[in-house]
Amino acid sequence: MKAAVLPQGSKSLEIQELDLPPLFPNQVKVKVKACGICGSDIHLILHGKMKATYTPCVPGHETSGVVTEIGEQITKLKVGDRVVVSAGTSCGKCKHCLAGRENLCEHIGVIGFNQRGGFAEYIQTEERYLYILPDQIPFAEGAILADAVSTPYHAIKYQGELKAGETVAIIGCGGLGIHAVAIAKALGAGKIFAIDIDSGSLENAKSYGANELILVEKNMQVGKVLKEKSGGIDLLCDFTGFMPNIESSVRAMNRGGRIVLVGIGRNKLEIPMPFFLIERQIRITGSYGSDRRAIPELIQLYKDNKLNLTKSISGIHKLEDTNEYLHALEEKKGNPIRFIINPEL
């Protein structure tokens, strides 16, 4: 098959012909119809900040396609089914996996990082990572459910426990944060504040339902501005990992408020007002990836016309053009949300 391969030590993908290994009894072969380019791919390919655990490495963890072959143990899928491939991998045997909380598994991984991903004509993986994609959802939009949409969904619904009518703040409106805005809107948030350093990202957030936009300027105390504009926040989700913004935002939180950290940062998180945090019973928690609940529930939101991802697709391109659009995403050319690779083009 044709695949975009990341050679060891390289910062550029190469189109190569790879042999497909024999299909295991519990595996499914999927013809890739769409695979999203994510910020994590930039960290892996262009900067080397993230590493794959196998070679030759085929990145791509936001994949949808059509089942073309099934192993002898497969019971839920058949040839011809349209599917979404979950981005996360896990052991499938520990107490967390058995409870449906795969993102707590000690052996959690990401397709494309610990096994061949979707920048290829075919992907082979276990049946448990696949979800039926209804005909009404295009492959491109289905593909980004795997991470760009399911990750903020888990953060907002399950870690943030958003209730209808609550005031929400989203810090960082890139590929994940923009969909956090859409999800907060779909789940009934009363008012949504979008915070970013990039005006284009804020415009995207506005188109997805943000009520107030805050453009972060140098030395701005984000929490102070947020408090002044909102009067108080019930749920704050951060997708930047820039800890000073989190620290300053604690005082903007309402009693019983929740702060969910999704973005991964290098700095320490220091909260200098412990009594304020304790007395108001403000929770600070992390959120990583999603679990098996997310994709089926997102598909239902889509079918119920509460979630529309049309604006998320910034272009569909050939496999041979993946390098070009990795750079375009990093440089934000054209204010993109998600570029999609279709190996059939």
Side-chain angles (χ1 to χ4, degrees):
M1 70 170 180
K2 183 171 64 173
V5 176
L6 180 64
Q8 283 187 306
S10 177
K11 294 185 178 181
S12 181
L13 297 169
E14 295 180 1
I15 303 302
Q16 297 182 11
E17 286 290 332
L18 299 180
D19 292 330
L20 282 165
L23 202 65
F24 288 121
N26 66 339
Q27 285 188 323
V28 175
K29 180 179 176 182
V30 176
K31 185 173 180 58
V32 176
K33 297 287 187 176
C35 188
I37 298 178
C38 175
S40 297
D41 297 316
I42 292 173
H43 294 318
L44 170 69
I45 300 164
L46 300 185
H47 304 307
K49 292 180 179 179
M50 303 177 76
K51 303 294 183 183
T53 61
Y54 69 102
T55 56
C57 171
V58 179
H61 58 273
E62 294 183 347
T63 308
S64 66
V66 175
V67 174
T68 59
E69 186 179 348
I70 60 174
E72 59 188 30
Q73 294 178 1
I74 302 306
T75 59
K76 298 178 182 178
L77 295 170
K78 65 182 185 301
V79 172
D81 282 342
R82 303 171 84 248
V83 293
V84 178
V85 183
S86 173
T89 65
S90 62
C91 75
K93 300 174 183 178
C94 70
K95 66 178 182 179
H96 300 300
C97 288
L98 295 176
R101 301 294 305 279
E102 297 89 347
N103 54 345
L104 290 174
C105 177
E106 285 188 25
H107 303 286
I108 189 169
V110 179
I111 285 178
F113 288 81
N114 65 338
Q115 60 180 262
R116 286 181 179 178
F119 291 158
E121 291 182 298
Y122 294 92
I123 185 170
Q124 292 182 178
T125 192
E126 295 178 41
E127 181 183 38
R128 64 192 177 99
Y129 298 138
L130 303 179
Y131 298 86
I132 292 289
L133 181 67
D135 291 342
Q136 70 196 80
I137 303 180
F139 284 113
E141 294 170 41
I144 66 173
L145 294 177
D147 179 24
V149 189
S150 61
T151 293
Y153 180 79
H154 182 82
I156 288 174
K157 181 169 184 180
Y158 290 109
Q159 297 299 93
E161 299 176 353
L162 174 65
K163 302 174 185 65
E166 289 189 319
T167 300
V168 177
I170 306 298
I171 301 181
C173 297
L176 295 179
I178 186 64
H179 294 111
V181 173
I183 290 159
K185 184 77 171 178
L187 296 180
K191 199 166 188 180
I192 303 170
F193 287 80
I195 303 105
D196 205 287
I197 62 173
D198 180 72
S199 58
S201 295
L202 290 177
E203 285 303 311
N204 289 338
K206 182 179 181 180
S207 73
Y208 262 135
N211 305 104
E212 295 277 351
L213 309 178
I214 298 176
L215 181 65
V216 179
E217 299 173 348
K218 188 176 181 179
N219 298 323
M220 176 187 285
Q221 289 291 312
V222 169
K224 182 179 180 181
V225 175
L226 193 55
K227 178 67 174 177
E228 291 172 352
K229 288 182 174 289
S230 69
I233 298 295
D234 298 302
L235 172 61
L236 182 146
C237 290
D238 174 77
F239 294 88
T240 68
F242 187 66
M243 295 307 170
N245 285 344
I246 305 302
E247 294 159 10
S248 74
S249 295
V250 170
R251 287 199 180 275
M253 301 305 294
N254 287 331
R255 292 178 178 274
R258 290 87 63 206
I259 297 174
V260 182
L261 307 182
V262 186
I264 299 172
R266 301 291 182 183
N267 299 328
K268 292 181 180 179
L269 176 62
E270 298 177 347
I271 306 296
M273 65 287 286
F275 179 74
F276 185 91
L277 194 75
I278 294 165
E279 190 265 338
R280 294 198 169 209
Q281 299 185 61
I282 297 167
R283 283 183 285 154
I284 300 177
T285 187
S287 184
Y288 183 78
S290 63
D291 58 40
R292 71 181 67 169
R293 295 171 290 185
I295 291 176
E297 291 178 10
L298 287 166
I299 287 172
Q300 190 60 52
L301 283 174
Y302 196 108
K303 292 169 71 173
D304 292 341
N305 295 316
K306 294 181 179 180
L307 185 65
N308 188 318
L309 302 173
T310 305
K311 295 188 291 291
S312 296
I313 310 305
S314 304
I316 301 176
H317 307 283
K318 298 186 296 183
L319 188 64
E320 291 80 0
D321 295 334
T322 307
N323 285 319
E324 176 183 348
Y325 287 96
L326 279 162
H327 287 282
L329 181 64
E330 181 183 40
E331 296 163 13
K332 297 186 177 181
K333 290 183 179 178
N335 194 28
I337 295 177
R338 268 299 189 268
F339 291 120
I340 300 295
I341 297 302
N342 179 352
E344 289 189 323
L345 295 179

PDB file of all heavy atoms in Angstrom, residues 241-268:
ATOM      1  N   GLY A 241      -2.068  25.058  28.076  1.00  0.00           N
ATOM      2  CA  GLY A 241      -0.989  24.650  28.976  1.00  0.00           C
ATOM      3  C   GLY A 241      -0.169  25.819  29.494  1.00  0.00           C
ATOM      4  O   GLY A 241       0.870  25.622  30.123  1.00  0.00           O
ATOM      5  N   PHE A 242      -0.655  27.052  29.283  1.00  0.00           N
ATOM      6  CA  PHE A 242       0.055  28.243  29.775  1.00  0.00           C
ATOM      7  C   PHE A 242      -0.448  28.546  31.186  1.00  0.00           C
ATOM      8  O   PHE A 242      -1.501  29.144  31.369  1.00  0.00           O
ATOM      9  CB  PHE A 242      -0.173  29.435  28.839  1.00  0.00           C
ATOM     10  CG  PHE A 242       0.650  30.643  29.188  1.00  0.00           C
ATOM     11  CD1 PHE A 242       2.035  30.624  29.079  1.00  0.00           C
ATOM     12  CD2 PHE A 242       0.043  31.805  29.634  1.00  0.00           C
ATOM     13  CE1 PHE A 242       2.799  31.737  29.399  1.00  0.00           C
ATOM     14  CE2 PHE A 242       0.796  32.914  29.961  1.00  0.00           C
ATOM     15  CZ  PHE A 242       2.174  32.882  29.841  1.00  0.00           C
ATOM     16  N   MET A 243       0.303  28.103  32.184  1.00  0.00           N
ATOM     17  CA  MET A 243      -0.177  28.087  33.556  1.00  0.00           C
ATOM     18  C   MET A 243      -0.492  29.462  34.149  1.00  0.00           C
ATOM     19  O   MET A 243      -1.416  29.572  34.957  1.00  0.00           O
ATOM     20  CB  MET A 243       0.809  27.325  34.440  1.00  0.00           C
ATOM     21  CG  MET A 243       0.923  25.856  34.080  1.00  0.00           C
ATOM     22  SD  MET A 243      -0.695  25.037  34.021  1.00  0.00           S
ATOM     23  CE  MET A 243      -0.246  23.452  33.283  1.00  0.00           C
ATOM     24  N   PRO A 244       0.237  30.553  33.818  1.00  0.00           N
ATOM     25  CA  PRO A 244      -0.136  31.849  34.400  1.00  0.00           C
ATOM     26  C   PRO A 244      -1.587  32.242  34.130  1.00  0.00           C
ATOM     27  O   PRO A 244      -2.220  32.886  34.976  1.00  0.00           O
ATOM     28  CB  PRO A 244       0.840  32.822  33.722  1.00  0.00           C
ATOM     29  CG  PRO A 244       2.054  31.989  33.462  1.00  0.00           C
ATOM     30  CD  PRO A 244       1.515  30.636  33.070  1.00  0.00           C
ATOM     31  N   ASN A 245      -2.118  31.865  32.969  1.00  0.00           N
ATOM     32  CA  ASN A 245      -3.526  32.170  32.691  1.00  0.00           C
ATOM     33  C   ASN A 245      -4.453  31.394  33.623  1.00  0.00           C
ATOM     34  O   ASN A 245      -5.494  31.910  34.056  1.00  0.00           O
ATOM     35  CB  ASN A 245      -3.873  31.836  31.245  1.00  0.00           C
ATOM     36  CG  ASN A 245      -3.329  32.858  30.267  1.00  0.00           C
ATOM     37  OD1 ASN A 245      -2.946  33.969  30.655  1.00  0.00           O
ATOM     38  ND2 ASN A 245      -3.268  32.500  29.000  1.00  0.00           N
ATOM     39  N   ILE A 246      -4.087  30.148  33.934  1.00  0.00           N
ATOM     40  CA  ILE A 246      -4.899  29.347  34.858  1.00  0.00           C
ATOM     41  C   ILE A 246      -4.855  29.960  36.246  1.00  0.00           C
ATOM     42  O   ILE A 246      -5.889  30.127  36.910  1.00  0.00           O
ATOM     43  CB  ILE A 246      -4.377  27.894  34.921  1.00  0.00           C
ATOM     44  CG1 ILE A 246      -4.316  27.271  33.531  1.00  0.00           C
ATOM     45  CG2 ILE A 246      -5.259  27.055  35.848  1.00  0.00           C
ATOM     46  CD1 ILE A 246      -5.619  27.243  32.815  1.00  0.00           C
ATOM     47  N   GLU A 247      -3.665  30.324  36.693  1.00  0.00           N
ATOM     48  CA  GLU A 247      -3.509  30.888  38.031  1.00  0.00           C
ATOM     49  C   GLU A 247      -4.329  32.161  38.201  1.00  0.00           C
ATOM     50  O   GLU A 247      -5.013  32.349  39.210  1.00  0.00           O
ATOM     51  CB  GLU A 247      -2.025  31.152  38.288  1.00  0.00           C
ATOM     52  CG  GLU A 247      -1.191  29.883  38.354  1.00  0.00           C
ATOM     53  CD  GLU A 247       0.293  30.120  38.101  1.00  0.00           C
ATOM     54  OE1 GLU A 247       0.710  31.296  38.059  1.00  0.00           O
ATOM     55  OE2 GLU A 247       1.030  29.130  37.943  1.00  0.00           O
ATOM     56  N   SER A 248      -4.290  33.026  37.188  1.00  0.00           N
ATOM     57  CA  SER A 248      -5.026  34.287  37.301  1.00  0.00           C
ATOM     58  C   SER A 248      -6.530  34.084  37.170  1.00  0.00           C
ATOM     59  O   SER A 248      -7.308  34.913  37.642  1.00  0.00           O
ATOM     60  CB  SER A 248      -4.531  35.283  36.242  1.00  0.00           C
ATOM     61  OG  SER A 248      -5.000  34.938  34.949  1.00  0.00           O
ATOM     62  N   SER A 249      -6.936  32.969  36.560  1.00  0.00           N
ATOM     63  CA  SER A 249      -8.361  32.737  36.319  1.00  0.00           C
ATOM     64  C   SER A 249      -9.082  32.125  37.514  1.00  0.00           C
ATOM     65  O   SER A 249     -10.316  32.088  37.527  1.00  0.00           O
ATOM     66  CB  SER A 249      -8.548  31.831  35.101  1.00  0.00           C
ATOM     67  OG  SER A 249      -8.088  32.458  33.932  1.00  0.00           O
ATOM     68  N   VAL A 250      -8.341  31.664  38.511  1.00  0.00           N
ATOM     69  CA  VAL A 250      -8.993  31.044  39.665  1.00  0.00           C
ATOM     70  C   VAL A 250      -9.979  32.006  40.314  1.00  0.00           C
ATOM     71  O   VAL A 250     -11.096  31.630  40.680  1.00  0.00           O
ATOM     72  CB  VAL A 250      -7.946  30.550  40.689  1.00  0.00           C
ATOM     73  CG1 VAL A 250      -8.620  30.129  41.990  1.00  0.00           C
ATOM     74  CG2 VAL A 250      -7.156  29.383  40.116  1.00  0.00           C
ATOM     75  N   ARG A 251      -9.593  33.269  40.417  1.00  0.00           N
ATOM     76  CA  ARG A 251     -10.478  34.250  41.060  1.00  0.00           C
ATOM     77  C   ARG A 251     -11.685  34.617  40.205  1.00  0.00           C
ATOM     78  O   ARG A 251     -12.597  35.291  40.697  1.00  0.00           O
ATOM     79  CB  ARG A 251      -9.695  35.516  41.416  1.00  0.00           C
ATOM     80  CG  ARG A 251      -8.747  35.306  42.594  1.00  0.00           C
ATOM     81  CD  ARG A 251      -8.342  36.625  43.213  1.00  0.00           C
ATOM     82  NE  ARG A 251      -7.444  36.436  44.342  1.00  0.00           N
ATOM     83  CZ  ARG A 251      -7.833  36.184  45.586  1.00  0.00           C
ATOM     84  NH1 ARG A 251      -9.122  36.082  45.852  1.00  0.00           N
ATOM     85  NH2 ARG A 251      -6.957  36.042  46.548  1.00  0.00           N
ATOM     86  N   ALA A 252     -11.709  34.192  38.963  1.00  0.00           N
ATOM     87  CA  ALA A 252     -12.884  34.435  38.118  1.00  0.00           C
ATOM     88  C   ALA A 252     -13.940  33.350  38.282  1.00  0.00           C
ATOM     89  O   ALA A 252     -15.031  33.467  37.728  1.00  0.00           O
ATOM     90  CB  ALA A 252     -12.464  34.529  36.654  1.00  0.00           C
ATOM     91  N   MET A 253     -13.621  32.303  39.053  1.00  0.00           N
ATOM     92  CA  MET A 253     -14.522  31.166  39.145  1.00  0.00           C
ATOM     93  C   MET A 253     -15.647  31.400  40.153  1.00  0.00           C
ATOM     94  O   MET A 253     -15.438  31.962  41.234  1.00  0.00           O
ATOM     95  CB  MET A 253     -13.742  29.908  39.540  1.00  0.00           C
ATOM     96  CG  MET A 253     -12.624  29.525  38.583  1.00  0.00           C
ATOM     97  SD  MET A 253     -13.134  29.317  36.875  1.00  0.00           S
ATOM     98  CE  MET A 253     -14.215  27.878  37.044  1.00  0.00           C
ATOM     99  N   ASN A 254     -16.827  30.935  39.812  1.00  0.00           N
ATOM    100  CA  ASN A 254     -17.959  30.945  40.724  1.00  0.00           C
ATOM    101  C   ASN A 254     -17.789  29.864  41.784  1.00  0.00           C
ATOM    102  O   ASN A 254     -16.971  28.954  41.643  1.00  0.00           O
ATOM    103  CB  ASN A 254     -19.267  30.709  39.966  1.00  0.00           C
ATOM    104  CG  ASN A 254     -19.690  31.908  39.148  1.00  0.00           C
ATOM    105  OD1 ASN A 254     -19.393  33.054  39.494  1.00  0.00           O
ATOM    106  ND2 ASN A 254     -20.403  31.659  38.060  1.00  0.00           N
ATOM    107  N   ARG A 255     -18.585  29.936  42.822  1.00  0.00           N
ATOM    108  CA  ARG A 255     -18.591  28.883  43.833  1.00  0.00           C
ATOM    109  C   ARG A 255     -18.954  27.552  43.173  1.00  0.00           C
ATOM    110  O   ARG A 255     -19.892  27.484  42.370  1.00  0.00           O
ATOM    111  CB  ARG A 255     -19.591  29.205  44.939  1.00  0.00           C
ATOM    112  CG  ARG A 255     -19.177  30.397  45.784  1.00  0.00           C
ATOM    113  CD  ARG A 255     -20.201  30.728  46.847  1.00  0.00           C
ATOM    114  NE  ARG A 255     -19.729  31.848  47.652  1.00  0.00           N
ATOM    115  CZ  ARG A 255     -18.945  31.736  48.716  1.00  0.00           C
ATOM    116  NH1 ARG A 255     -18.564  30.522  49.118  1.00  0.00           N
ATOM    117  NH2 ARG A 255     -18.548  32.807  49.387  1.00  0.00           N
ATOM    118  N   GLY A 256     -18.207  26.519  43.520  1.00  0.00           N
ATOM    119  CA  GLY A 256     -18.450  25.216  42.906  1.00  0.00           C
ATOM    120  C   GLY A 256     -17.951  25.103  41.481  1.00  0.00           C
ATOM    121  O   GLY A 256     -18.275  24.145  40.780  1.00  0.00           O
ATOM    122  N   GLY A 257     -17.148  26.067  41.046  1.00  0.00           N
ATOM    123  CA  GLY A 257     -16.647  26.063  39.671  1.00  0.00           C
ATOM    124  C   GLY A 257     -15.623  24.964  39.437  1.00  0.00           C
ATOM    125  O   GLY A 257     -15.003  24.441  40.362  1.00  0.00           O
ATOM    126  N   ARG A 258     -15.469  24.606  38.156  1.00  0.00           N
ATOM    127  CA  ARG A 258     -14.527  23.557  37.762  1.00  0.00           C
ATOM    128  C   ARG A 258     -13.549  24.100  36.728  1.00  0.00           C
ATOM    129  O   ARG A 258     -13.965  24.757  35.773  1.00  0.00           O
ATOM    130  CB  ARG A 258     -15.255  22.343  37.160  1.00  0.00           C
ATOM    131  CG  ARG A 258     -16.074  21.534  38.161  1.00  0.00           C
ATOM    132  CD  ARG A 258     -17.493  22.071  38.325  1.00  0.00           C
ATOM    133  NE  ARG A 258     -18.245  21.985  37.083  1.00  0.00           N
ATOM    134  CZ  ARG A 258     -19.268  22.787  36.789  1.00  0.00           C
ATOM    135  NH1 ARG A 258     -19.655  23.742  37.613  1.00  0.00           N
ATOM    136  NH2 ARG A 258     -19.915  22.618  35.644  1.00  0.00           N
ATOM    137  N   ILE A 259     -12.285  23.798  36.942  1.00  0.00           N
ATOM    138  CA  ILE A 259     -11.232  24.134  35.981  1.00  0.00           C
ATOM    139  C   ILE A 259     -10.683  22.828  35.434  1.00  0.00           C
ATOM    140  O   ILE A 259     -10.234  21.970  36.201  1.00  0.00           O
ATOM    141  CB  ILE A 259     -10.110  24.950  36.636  1.00  0.00           C
ATOM    142  CG1 ILE A 259     -10.646  26.296  37.132  1.00  0.00           C
ATOM    143  CG2 ILE A 259      -8.953  25.163  35.661  1.00  0.00           C
ATOM    144  CD1 ILE A 259      -9.633  27.112  37.921  1.00  0.00           C
ATOM    145  N   VAL A 260     -10.716  22.655  34.114  1.00  0.00           N
ATOM    146  CA  VAL A 260     -10.243  21.424  33.485  1.00  0.00           C
ATOM    147  C   VAL A 260      -9.023  21.753  32.637  1.00  0.00           C
ATOM    148  O   VAL A 260      -9.074  22.614  31.753  1.00  0.00           O
ATOM    149  CB  VAL A 260     -11.337  20.781  32.609  1.00  0.00           C
ATOM    150  CG1 VAL A 260     -10.830  19.466  32.005  1.00  0.00           C
ATOM    151  CG2 VAL A 260     -12.600  20.521  33.434  1.00  0.00           C
ATOM    152  N   LEU A 261      -7.927  21.062  32.912  1.00  0.00           N
ATOM    153  CA  LEU A 261      -6.676  21.271  32.189  1.00  0.00           C
ATOM    154  C   LEU A 261      -6.520  20.202  31.120  1.00  0.00           C
ATOM    155  O   LEU A 261      -6.466  19.012  31.431  1.00  0.00           O
ATOM    156  CB  LEU A 261      -5.493  21.224  33.153  1.00  0.00           C
ATOM    157  CG  LEU A 261      -5.565  22.144  34.377  1.00  0.00           C
ATOM    158  CD1 LEU A 261      -4.290  22.023  35.201  1.00  0.00           C
ATOM    159  CD2 LEU A 261      -5.816  23.580  33.966  1.00  0.00           C
ATOM    160  N   VAL A 262      -6.447  20.629  29.865  1.00  0.00           N
ATOM    161  CA  VAL A 262      -6.267  19.721  28.734  1.00  0.00           C
ATOM    162  C   VAL A 262      -4.924  19.972  28.066  1.00  0.00           C
ATOM    163  O   VAL A 262      -4.191  19.044  27.726  1.00  0.00           O
ATOM    164  CB  VAL A 262      -7.409  19.868  27.709  1.00  0.00           C
ATOM    165  CG1 VAL A 262      -7.282  18.818  26.612  1.00  0.00           C
ATOM    166  CG2 VAL A 262      -8.768  19.765  28.391  1.00  0.00           C
ATOM    167  N   GLY A 263      -4.569  21.235  27.871  1.00  0.00           N
ATOM    168  CA  GLY A 263      -3.291  21.588  27.272  1.00  0.00           C
ATOM    169  C   GLY A 263      -2.138  21.196  28.177  1.00  0.00           C
ATOM    170  O   GLY A 263      -2.225  21.312  29.406  1.00  0.00           O
ATOM    171  N   ILE A 264      -1.063  20.725  27.581  1.00  0.00           N
ATOM    172  CA  ILE A 264       0.103  20.265  28.336  1.00  0.00           C
ATOM    173  C   ILE A 264       1.173  21.344  28.298  1.00  0.00           C
ATOM    174  O   ILE A 264       1.671  21.709  27.231  1.00  0.00           O
ATOM    175  CB  ILE A 264       0.647  18.951  27.749  1.00  0.00           C
ATOM    176  CG1 ILE A 264      -0.432  17.866  27.822  1.00  0.00           C
ATOM    177  CG2 ILE A 264       1.900  18.511  28.500  1.00  0.00           C
ATOM    178  CD1 ILE A 264      -0.063  16.586  27.105  1.00  0.00           C
ATOM    179  N   GLY A 265       1.528  21.874  29.473  1.00  0.00           N
ATOM    180  CA  GLY A 265       2.528  22.927  29.564  1.00  0.00           C
ATOM    181  C   GLY A 265       3.750  22.489  30.343  1.00  0.00           C
ATOM    182  O   GLY A 265       3.743  21.451  31.010  1.00  0.00           O
ATOM    183  N   ARG A 266       4.799  23.284  30.263  1.00  0.00           N
ATOM    184  CA  ARG A 266       6.068  22.969  30.922  1.00  0.00           C
ATOM    185  C   ARG A 266       6.195  23.651  32.283  1.00  0.00           C
ATOM    186  O   ARG A 266       7.002  23.250  33.113  1.00  0.00           O
ATOM    187  CB  ARG A 266       7.232  23.419  30.036  1.00  0.00           C
ATOM    188  CG  ARG A 266       7.241  22.771  28.661  1.00  0.00           C
ATOM    189  CD  ARG A 266       7.571  21.295  28.724  1.00  0.00           C
ATOM    190  NE  ARG A 266       7.627  20.685  27.400  1.00  0.00           N
ATOM    191  CZ  ARG A 266       7.833  19.406  27.189  1.00  0.00           C
ATOM    192  NH1 ARG A 266       7.965  18.579  28.215  1.00  0.00           N
ATOM    193  NH2 ARG A 266       7.878  18.921  25.961  1.00  0.00           N
ATOM    194  N   ASN A 267       5.420  24.706  32.533  1.00  0.00           N
ATOM    195  CA  ASN A 267       5.584  25.477  33.759  1.00  0.00           C
ATOM    196  C   ASN A 267       4.827  24.857  34.928  1.00  0.00           C
ATOM    197  O   ASN A 267       3.883  24.083  34.742  1.00  0.00           O
ATOM    198  CB  ASN A 267       5.088  26.921  33.545  1.00  0.00           C
ATOM    199  CG  ASN A 267       5.863  27.641  32.470  1.00  0.00           C
ATOM    200  OD1 ASN A 267       7.050  27.384  32.280  1.00  0.00           O
ATOM    201  ND2 ASN A 267       5.197  28.538  31.762  1.00  0.00           N
ATOM    202  N   LYS A 268       5.236  25.247  36.138  1.00  0.00           N
ATOM    203  CA  LYS A 268       4.525  24.800  37.329  1.00  0.00           C
ATOM    204  C   LYS A 268       3.197  25.538  37.447  1.00  0.00           C
ATOM    205  O   LYS A 268       3.072  26.690  37.054  1.00  0.00           O
ATOM    206  CB  LYS A 268       5.365  25.088  38.577  1.00  0.00           C
ATOM    207  CG  LYS A 268       6.633  24.270  38.693  1.00  0.00           C
ATOM    208  CD  LYS A 268       7.375  24.637  39.978  1.00  0.00           C
ATOM    209  CE  LYS A 268       8.652  23.829  40.112  1.00  0.00           C
ATOM    210  NZ  LYS A 268       9.401  24.203  41.351  1.00  0.00           N
TER     211      LYS A 268
END
